[in-house]
Amino acid sequence: MLFSFLLAIICSFSATAQQAIKAGPMVTHADMRQVTIWLQMSSECNVSIQYAPIGQSSLSKKTKVYHADQQDNHCLHIVLDSIEQGNRYTYEIFVNEQKLQISYPLECSAPPLWQWRTDPPTFKRSEEHTSELQSRQYLVCRLLLEK
């Protein structure tokens, strides 16, 4: 009986977390010193995020409190503005000063500061894909004209 009661309480807390967040959280932008987290809440509320480098919870910081209101469809862009480049961070979401229990790890990172210090990150040029696509279009047009 007691076990059922405790299980019901625990389930109600996780249901509250799922009901509080309509969509997200999602990392939308990561810069050298800040990361932006996007959230859409299901109703008006106050939201903040506490974050710390992975494995260093003693260095945690908390964002200012953001208010989700109907005017913005309860969408928030929460800025974590004390991020060190190249480090990974874990974060927790607080709605109306209560920590939400999320079933998966919430992590983010900022890119390393490489400009004029090391080689730039590798990337693939889009010209390769464009020229390949153009040659395919050329072949299709040529085949159609020959018929």
Side-chain angles (χ1 to χ4, degrees), residues 1-53:
M1 181 77 171
L2 180 62
F3 177 73
S4 300
F5 178 72
L6 291 174
L7 184 63
I9 290 175
I10 292 170
C11 290
S12 69
F13 283 128
S14 63
T16 304
Q18 296 304 323
Q19 292 170 357
I21 296 178
K22 191 172 186 178
M26 179 174 57
V27 177
T28 59
H29 176 74
D31 204 345
M32 297 301 167
R33 304 242 185 232
Q34 66 182 20
V35 171
T36 304
I37 309 290
W38 177 86
L39 284 167
Q40 184 176 21
M41 308 308 287
S42 57
S43 61
E44 286 196 25
C45 59
N46 294 319
V47 180
S48 64
I49 293 180
Q50 184 172 339
Y51 59 100

Side-chain angles (χ1 to χ4, degrees), residues 91-132:
Y91 61 94
E92 300 170 328
I93 300 169
F94 289 83
V95 176
N96 296 329
E97 298 182 14
Q98 292 185 338
K99 179 182 164 186
L100 293 185
Q101 299 297 325
I102 307 288
S103 61
Y104 51 89
L106 299 175
E107 295 180 358
C108 63
S109 64
L113 183 60
W114 64 269
Q115 286 88 352
W116 305 282
R117 291 164 180 85
T118 63
D119 290 334
T122 58
F123 64 94
K124 191 170 187 174
R125 293 175 25 169
S126 63
E127 288 177 18
E128 297 169 12
H129 299 293
T130 305
S131 62
E132 184 179 318

